Amino acid sequence: MNKIDKVFEKLNSSKNKAIIPYLTGGDPDIDRTLKLMQFYAENGADIIEIGVPFSDPMADGPVIQAAMERALKAGTTLKSILNLVKRFRRNYDTPLVLMGYMNPFYAYGLERFCKDAKEAGVDGILTVDMPPEEAEEFVSYQRKYDLTPVFLVTPVTNEDRILKIKKYATSFVYFVSVTGVTGERVSLPADTEKKLIEIKKLINMPTVIGFGISSPEIIISFYDIADGFVIGSALVKRAERIWSSTENARDFENFFKSLAFACHKGRIA
């Protein structure tokens, strides 16, 4: 059983939910990314999702696009992110999922990337723009090196495609709550709960929800049906304010802790 499976097994036994903070690797630089990863690991993160910077992140809204631009401007590469993972692994065991686009992975070399990712300490790979119909080769390398392939499921993903995803996915799937890009939202669409229930019945594995998760209130509203929550733009935006010295770090820390409390306790602190 891999580390990600163990996370969901433990949470399921305690009826708690996974909190999965997202950050963009290299934003605003590698050293500060490492400090942020360490903070998350020390304050309740069950899995950490690291975005691989890409020049055309089509699924991401303005907040994460800006983070990727900052990371690329700082010279971040896929190799430097793997080195970042190695540094993190010296002291922390929190599972890590790399979230990125096929272009950088393909340019690196798919098998070489999987081998190097495993050696660095990566646990899973989410390829945003890889449809299940074209996933066989990349997934075969991920399985060869004991990496978890993670797939996105959207509100418009039909049953046939969900079953194709089920063929390749392991550990969990990531339900995108909206038909749009990443970003903070006050609430999620009215049919989100219905769609999430349908997907869970078909996929029969832990399902986390992301895109628009921005408050403990949203977490609580889906607590009974989701297995975890990915928080991206809400954290990236607040972290950027710290880097630019316009927000106190304590406010950011308290915000994350409030999200972790909601995930692990099922109530608002």
Side-chain angles (χ1 to χ4, degrees):
M1 182 180 293
N2 63 43
K3 287 196 293 185
I4 295 176
D5 288 331
K6 289 178 181 178
V7 163
F8 285 106
E9 181 180 68
K10 179 180 178 181
L11 290 169
N12 183 58
S13 66
S14 61
K15 301 188 185 304
N16 295 333
K17 311 299 177 177
I19 180 166
I20 308 174
Y22 165 94
L23 49 78
T24 298
D27 173 35
D29 54 53
I30 289 293
D31 287 342
R32 280 183 280 188
T33 301
L34 177 61
K35 289 180 181 179
L36 191 54
M37 291 170 64
Q38 292 168 337
F39 167 76
Y40 288 146
E42 292 169 3
N43 288 277
D46 297 294
I47 300 168
I48 298 174
E49 188 177 289
I50 306 171
V52 177
F54 182 51
S55 57
D56 187 23
M58 61 185 181
D60 292 300
V63 170
I64 293 178
Q65 284 189 23
M68 290 196 171
E69 289 173 5
R70 290 191 296 270
L72 290 170
K73 187 176 181 180
T76 306
T77 64
L78 185 49
K79 186 173 182 179
S80 63
I81 288 179
L82 295 180
N83 287 332
L84 165 70
V85 171
K86 289 180 182 178
R87 292 172 64 190
F88 178 80
R89 279 284 172 253
R90 293 171 189 167
N91 298 296
Y92 299 92
D93 292 326
T94 307
L96 300 176
V97 172
L98 294 190
M99 180 178 184
Y101 295 81
M102 178 59 85
N103 189 291
F105 301 154
Y106 186 82
Y108 193 98
L110 295 181
E111 182 169 11
R112 176 184 169 220
F113 167 60
C114 291
K115 179 178 182 292
D116 290 354
K118 181 63 179 181
E119 290 177 354
V122 173
D123 299 287
I125 299 172
L126 195 170
T127 310
V128 178
D129 54 349
M130 182 179 68
E133 294 84 357
E134 300 177 13
E136 186 169 353
E137 179 186 10
F138 196 14
V139 168
S140 70
Y141 294 136
Q142 292 177 51
R143 288 176 173 169
K144 178 178 179 179
Y145 293 100
D146 194 28
L147 295 164
T148 295
V150 182
F151 284 80
L152 297 174
V153 181
T154 78
V156 296
T157 303
N158 60 37
E159 182 174 336
D160 181 61
R161 176 164 278 196
I162 291 172
L163 293 177
K164 289 177 180 175
I165 289 171
K166 184 178 180 179
K167 176 182 176 182
Y168 294 116
T170 59
S171 300
F172 73 101
V173 295
Y174 183 148
F175 174 57
V176 175
S177 66
V178 296
T179 52
V181 297
T182 57
E184 275 193 85
R185 290 170 174 83
V186 175
S187 61
L188 300 184
D191 62 346
T192 301
E193 180 175 342
K194 178 183 177 182
K195 186 64 178 179
L196 182 55
I197 291 172
E198 291 173 356
I199 290 168
K200 289 195 66 175
K201 286 181 179 178
L202 287 170
I203 211 78
N204 195 31
M205 70 179 67
T207 304
V208 306
I209 184 171
F211 283 48
I213 310 301
S214 59
S215 69
E217 287 78 9
I218 291 179
I219 290 171
I220 297 305
S221 66
F222 293 94
Y223 195 84
D224 291 338
I225 52 174
D227 296 289
F229 298 87
V230 181
I231 302 96
S233 295
L235 290 170
V236 172
K237 182 173 73 175
R238 286 165 175 80
E240 194 277 331
R241 291 174 183 166
I242 298 173
W243 312 142
S244 59
S245 301
T246 61
E247 183 169 300
N248 189 295
R250 183 65 60 85
D251 294 334
F252 169 83
E253 293 169 2
N254 289 339
F255 175 68
F256 176 74
K257 290 176 182 178
S258 74
L259 299 171
F261 186 92
C263 285
H264 294 155
K265 300 296 183 180
R267 64 181 189 275
I268 296 172

